[in-house]
Amino acid sequence: MQGSSVALAPASTPILKRRFCLILSSSSLEPADLAFSRGVSCLQTSRFGSFTPLSARISSSLKCLNQRYHNLKARAGTASVPDSVDETPEPSAAIQTLQLGGMFGLWYLLNIYFNIFNKQVLKVFPYPTTVTAFQFGCGTVMIILMWTLNLYARPKLTRSQFAVILPLAVAHTLGNLLTNISLVTVNVSFTHTIKAMEPFFTVLFAALFLGEKPTIWLASSLVPIVGGVALASLTEATFNWTGFCSAMASNVTNQSRNVFSKKFMVRKEDSLDNINLFSAITIISFILSVPAAIFMEGAKFTPYLQSAASQDSNIRGLCVMSLLAGFCFHSYQQVSYMILQMVSPVSHSVGNSVKRVVVIVSSVIFFRTPVSPLNSIGTAVALAGVFLYSRAKRVRPETKTS
């Protein structure tokens, strides 16, 4: 019996080792393939002393699980995220159309009120240089408030940018001053009929300074513009050479500003967005117009106020009207530049031609301006030519690429 017991002892040793290793290999603390290899190595061991301690086996299994966890996490991090999570929903086309229509309506409304208020101010206070400087001053205050309240990012002008903007500001100042001089002597409708000649000078200056040759359709659209303005001028009851030449000169300065801005602001470091460019031009125009107002009309301004005070004139009403005109003056131009950032220049040009019609019709109705049939025909032909010009500009890029 004793011998048999001694003989059974070595045989039981592999069975115990086998059970112990199978228990460890079936544990959920390590992967099956790793446990299987460890179980095989244990079965090949002949002594209990060669077993790895249980704590070390558990620690090794935890390290393996930790490594697999990090691998899965890395794979999940590189997986693509659905586009719907990152992309912010864009407004629908209907909302964008309503927003753009509201901007155009506000542009027209502010322009109508500016021309009405401005004409009423110039009737009572016929000093166009002072009125122009005051309007630029209102715009400057609004721009400073816009930058101070962080409604729009304030640009940092460099010397090269200032050198480019300065001539544009000079042309902008002259253009608005000459328009106000014209409004002092003639009706609002006639001034804007003459200003319908702007496309003619745009094509002329683009050909002279930029080398852009107009297409046959673009040149043909200028014929009704020139003919309509000529017919309206010949039949205008309040025709005045000062008003006519001032409005025509404002066309020259305004369109030269546009052409030169296109020619000079071609370098990326010199360019600004539309709103900041207009803001910088307005501030420089105010600085330029104040000395001109003092030099040209300063001697007349004080006697006027003294006579107005002695005659109990409504100076308060004049100041309120001037403030409203200055507010509308800057606001409609600001909205115009905002629209220019939302649409193409051709669409903006079409909107500008429609604005001209709206301003002429509204001023005729408000001021009850007498209009003869021939004058109406001339104005209509000129405005139709402006619309055709806008349409011709739309097909010009296609003719260049073909």
Side-chain angles (χ1 to χ4, degrees), residues 92-159:
S92 62
I95 296 177
Q96 291 180 348
T97 303
L98 289 175
Q99 182 182 4
L100 187 60
M103 294 288 288
F104 271 98
L106 183 61
W107 182 26
Y108 295 165
L109 188 64
L110 289 171
N111 208 298
I112 291 171
Y113 276 108
F114 163 69
N115 283 278
I116 291 174
F117 291 147
N118 193 37
K119 181 63 177 180
Q120 290 178 332
V121 169
L122 291 172
K123 278 184 176 180
V124 181
F125 187 77
Y127 300 105
T129 310
T130 304
V131 171
T132 303
F134 182 81
Q135 291 170 355
F136 283 134
C138 292
T140 301
V141 172
M142 295 173 66
I143 292 168
I144 293 175
L145 289 176
M146 177 184 69
W147 287 342
T148 304
L149 298 177
N150 292 326
L151 300 178
Y152 203 84
R154 180 172 61 89
K156 295 181 179 179
L157 293 180
T158 61
R159 290 185 178 180

Side-chain angles (χ1 to χ4, degrees), residues 36-196:
F36 180 78
S37 62
R38 291 183 183 275
V40 171
S41 63
C42 288
L43 287 173
Q44 296 173 353
T45 308
S46 61
R47 295 184 181 182
F48 278 101
S50 63
F51 274 75
T52 305
L54 180 61
S55 60
R57 296 290 304 276
I58 295 175
S59 176
S60 177
S61 300
L62 290 175
K63 288 180 181 179
C64 181
L65 285 174
N66 190 26
Q67 183 178 2
R68 293 191 67 185
Y69 167 74
H70 285 293
N71 290 336
L72 291 174
K73 186 177 179 182
R75 292 177 182 176
T78 57
S80 60
V81 182
D83 296 338
S84 59
V85 177
D86 293 334
E87 292 182 356
T88 55
E90 296 182 356
S92 62
I95 296 177
Q96 291 180 348
T97 303
L98 289 175
Q99 182 182 4
L100 187 60
M103 294 288 288
F104 271 98
L106 183 61
W107 182 26
Y108 295 165
L109 188 64
L110 289 171
N111 208 298
I112 291 171
Y113 276 108
F114 163 69
N115 283 278
I116 291 174
F117 291 147
N118 193 37
K119 181 63 177 180
Q120 290 178 332
V121 169
L122 291 172
K123 278 184 176 180
V124 181
F125 187 77
Y127 300 105
T129 310
T130 304
V131 171
T132 303
F134 182 81
Q135 291 170 355
F136 283 134
C138 292
T140 301
V141 172
M142 295 173 66
I143 292 168
I144 293 175
L145 289 176
M146 177 184 69
W147 287 342
T148 304
L149 298 177
N150 292 326
L151 300 178
Y152 203 84
R154 180 172 61 89
K156 295 181 179 179
L157 293 180
T158 61
R159 290 185 178 180
S160 60
Q161 288 177 331
F162 181 79
V164 171
I165 295 174
L166 181 60
L168 305 181
V170 172
H172 183 69
T173 306
L174 291 175
N176 286 276
L177 174 59
L178 291 168
T179 300
N180 283 334
I181 293 174
S182 176
L183 289 172
V184 171
T185 56
V186 296
N187 294 324
V188 176
S189 58
F190 183 57
T191 298
H192 282 275
T193 301
I194 301 172
K195 287 179 72 65

